[in-house]
Amino acid sequence: MHRDTKTRIKVITMSRISRLVVLMTSVAAVVAAMAGTASAVTWHIAGTGTFTATGGQATLSATSIQVCPGLTVTGTYTAGSFAGVTYSGVTGTATYQGCTVAGQSTEVTCSYVLTATAQPTLTTTTTGTADVTCGVTLGASGAKICHIEGTAPGTYTNNAGSADTAIRATSSSLRITGSGCAIGNNDIAHISATTLTLTSNGGNGPDILRTA
């Protein structure tokens, strides 16, 4: 075969291989992009941005038990759409009132950040974890005697025909400290399960929708 003919065949073959490589690379990029899009999680939050709620009796226990007959909660949240596996836009304060421990009148105030992690029932129920930091103070002087810190699991439900509710499950991931703390010092603390009922905005809180 003539040398020029061989050269042309070689050039044509290499050109086809190059085009094939480019095509395969492009297909791989498209598939990767589609996979990334399919697995992307976005949280869509709607509402006014603030809420209030109330709850019933709760107990805080370690080496001794503190009983609190009432609970009020205030909160804020960021509305909009947020890409990510979790959503941590709900924050606020929980105040346990009228508490007593070892014959002393006390009050418990907790700050929290709620992180939504899953939505087993679309647009209705959202589960997550609250990072909690609490202080127990004496009712008479306001002096802080206990510090509580840790996490507690929870569930938030958008109810169509009634007020929204939030349930904080009993937690065993809280640590309580304080040399003068009558509940315990450097012990695992347990806060009993509590159901909160939203009282503001006609009982409506954040409307949470998770899409993937």
Side-chain angles (χ1 to χ4, degrees):
M1 183 181 293
H2 194 276
R3 179 177 298 175
D4 291 342
T5 302
K6 290 181 178 180
T7 300
R8 286 196 298 273
I9 292 173
K10 183 176 181 181
V11 169
I12 293 171
T13 302
M14 291 301 294
S15 177
R16 288 176 177 174
I17 292 175
S18 298
R19 288 198 298 270
L20 180 60
V21 170
V22 171
L23 177 61
M24 292 176 65
T25 303
S26 299
V27 170
V30 171
V31 170
M34 292 176 64
T37 301
S39 61
V41 175
T42 302
W43 297 86
H44 308 276
I45 315 300
T48 64
T50 62
F51 65 88
T52 59
T54 59
Q57 178 175 295
T59 59
L60 170 62
S61 60
T63 56
S64 62
I65 298 176
Q66 176 173 261
V67 179
C68 302
L71 168 63
T72 60
V73 174
T74 62
T76 62
Y77 56 94
T78 305
S81 295
F82 306 91
V85 177
T86 62
Y87 166 71
S88 300
V90 181
T91 63
T93 301
T95 304
Y96 297 84
Q97 302 156 325
C99 312
T100 56
V101 58
Q104 299 183 91
S105 174
T106 58
E107 183 176 280
V108 183
T109 302
C110 304
S111 61
Y112 66 87
V113 178
L114 177 63
T115 298
T117 57
Q119 195 173 75
T121 306
L122 190 65
T123 75
T124 301
T125 301
T126 303
T127 59
T129 301
D131 290 294
V132 180
T133 302
C134 305
V136 180
T137 58
L138 291 174
S141 64
K144 182 177 178 179
I145 58 173
C146 308
H147 178 81
I148 305 167
E149 192 168 349
T151 61
T155 302
Y156 178 80
T157 303
N158 289 114
N159 294 307
S162 58
D164 295 346
T165 55
I167 299 175
R168 192 205 62 249
T170 301
S171 174
S172 59
S173 301
L174 301 174
R175 176 71 62 176
I176 187 166
T177 56
S179 58
C181 182
I183 308 168
N185 182 25
N186 201 29
D187 293 313
I188 297 296
H190 302 268
I191 298 179
S192 61
T194 304
T195 299
L196 300 170
T197 302
L198 272 71
T199 56
S200 59
N201 311 314
N204 294 317
D207 292 319
I208 303 174
L209 172 61
R210 179 186 184 275
T211 58

